[in-house]
Amino acid sequence: MRIRQLDLNCETKSKDHVFLRVHVSIQFQANSTHLFESFYSLTSPTRQLTTHTHDIIRSTLPQLDLDDIFSSQDSIALELHRSLNGVMNQYGFLIHHALITKIWPNDHVKESMNEVEASKRMKEAMPEKAEAVRIKLVKDAEALAERAHLNGVGVARERREIARGMKDVTVESTPTGSHSSEAISSKGVMDLLLLTQYFDVLSDLSGHRGVKKGFPTATGPGQEDEHESGPSTSLFVTHMPETVAQLSATARKCFGSDTVQTENLLDL
C-alpha cells in the first residue's frame, strides 16, 4: 500500500506562557490486513489525524517549558507516534513516523532569547577584556618609565662628556697642562651646558612635521619644505644672543644663589 504524508501546523503555548507554532509531519498508510476498516471506517482519515494530533500536541506541550520543548523534541515525537498509532489502528491505518520538524516561538521571544544569550556571553567576556586592558596599560606605563629612565641616563652622559671634553681641550691648549682647568669657572661650564641644551631644544622642535618656527628655512628649487607638507602649526621662538645669558641667570636664581656652590664643575 502507498505511504502518504500529512503536514500540520499546530499553535499552542508552553508552561512558561510562550506561544509557539509546531510543524508536524505524519507518515501513514492503510493496513493491508484491515483494508475493509481502512476503506469503510472513516470518510476522511486526514481529518481524523489532524484532530488527534492537535489534541495530543496541545495537551503535552503546555506541561513543558520552552527550553524543555526544544531539548525533548524527540521524546515528544515518540509519544505522538504511539498515541496516533493506537488510535488509528482500529480504523485500519498504520502510523510509520510522526516527526516534529520545526518549532517557531514568537519573534519577540526569539529576539529576547538571543539577547539573553548574548548578554551572558558578554558578561563572561568582560573580565577577559578588562584584564587585557589592564595588562596593556601596565606595559605602556612600564615602557614609558623605562624610556624616561634611559632618556635621563643619555642626557646625563651627554652632559658629562661635554664637561670632560671641555676640560681636555683646556688642558691641551696650555703649556703647563696639569692645573689649567682651574682657569675656567663653574659659571662658564653652566653657560656652556645651558647653551647646548638650548640648541638641542631647537633641534627637537625643527624635527617635528608641521611645526614652523619664527625663522626661515632654506629649501632648494623644486624642493618642498617638509614643514609645509604637514598640518600648519606656528610656533614663534625668541632666538637672540642674550637668551642664553637669561637662561643662565634664571637657573642660578632657582638654585638660590647667584654663584654656584661648587668649586669646579669640570672635576666630574
Side-chain angles (χ1 to χ4, degrees), residues 48-198:
Q48 187 77 5
L49 283 173
T50 301
T51 303
H52 285 286
T53 300
H54 285 184
D55 180 69
I56 295 171
I57 291 295
R58 289 172 178 169
S59 62
T60 303
L61 296 189
Q63 300 177 7
L64 301 173
D65 292 331
L66 182 60
D67 294 336
D68 296 334
I69 292 175
F70 281 99
S71 61
S72 59
Q73 183 174 339
D74 292 337
S75 61
I76 296 173
L78 289 175
E79 179 64 25
L80 178 63
H81 175 265
R82 286 194 295 265
S83 300
L84 290 178
N85 205 24
V87 171
M88 298 301 293
N89 276 343
Q90 59 182 330
Y91 302 115
F93 288 93
L94 295 176
I95 307 299
H96 290 281
H97 299 285
L99 306 175
I100 298 178
T101 56
K102 292 182 181 180
I103 299 176
W104 290 295
N106 187 274
D107 293 337
H108 296 291
V109 175
K110 290 193 292 185
E111 293 177 0
S112 300
M113 294 175 66
N114 292 333
E115 290 178 0
V116 168
E117 188 63 25
S119 300
K120 186 186 297 183
R121 299 289 183 179
M122 187 65 68
K123 182 179 179 181
E124 295 176 357
M126 286 304 294
E128 301 296 333
K129 183 178 180 180
E131 182 66 18
V133 173
R134 185 189 70 84
I135 293 175
K136 183 178 183 300
L137 293 177
V138 169
K139 293 300 181 182
D140 290 343
E142 291 177 354
L144 185 60
E146 184 67 18
R147 175 185 177 185
H149 171 72
L150 294 178
N151 189 21
V153 171
V155 172
R157 289 179 179 176
E158 178 186 6
R159 302 298 180 261
R160 187 182 301 112
E161 293 302 322
I162 291 175
R164 287 179 180 176
M166 185 175 181
K167 177 180 178 181
D168 294 341
V169 171
T170 306
V171 170
E172 293 176 358
S173 62
T174 57
T176 57
S178 59
H179 300 288
S180 61
S181 59
E182 298 178 356
I184 299 178
S185 63
S186 299
K187 179 179 180 300
V189 176
M190 180 62 71
D191 290 342
L192 178 61
L193 294 178
L194 288 175
L195 181 62
T196 304
Q197 182 67 31
Y198 176 71

Side-chain angles (χ1 to χ4, degrees), residues 206-252:
S206 64
H208 295 288
R209 293 178 63 86
V211 177
K212 298 186 293 183
K213 294 190 288 294
F215 46 86
T217 57
T219 55
Q223 297 179 356
E224 294 182 357
D225 188 359
E226 63 176 0
H227 301 296
E228 298 294 338
S229 59
S232 178
T233 302
S234 300
L235 179 62
F236 294 93
V237 180
T238 303
H239 185 64
M240 300 177 66
E242 60 269 18
T243 302
V244 179
Q246 295 175 0
L247 292 174
S248 178
T250 303
R252 288 195 298 271

Side-chain angles (χ1 to χ4, degrees), residues 13-59:
K13 79 179 188 69
S14 61
K15 186 178 179 180
D16 48 358
H17 306 291
V18 176
F19 284 88
L20 64 154
R21 290 182 299 163
V22 180
H23 184 271
V24 181
S25 296
I26 302 171
Q27 298 173 356
F28 66 100
Q29 72 174 156
N31 193 346
S32 59
T33 60
H34 297 79
L35 294 178
F36 182 84
E37 290 83 355
S38 63
F39 188 79
Y40 290 103
S41 297
L42 299 174
T43 57
S44 178
T46 57
R47 292 173 57 185
Q48 187 77 5
L49 283 173
T50 301
T51 303
H52 285 286
T53 300
H54 285 184
D55 180 69
I56 295 171
I57 291 295
R58 289 172 178 169
S59 62

Side-chain angles (χ1 to χ4, degrees), residues 246-265:
Q246 295 175 0
L247 292 174
S248 178
T250 303
R252 288 195 298 271
K253 184 177 180 181
C254 293
F255 286 134
S257 175
D258 291 339
T259 59
V260 180
Q261 300 298 326
T262 305
E263 294 181 358
N264 197 336
L265 292 180

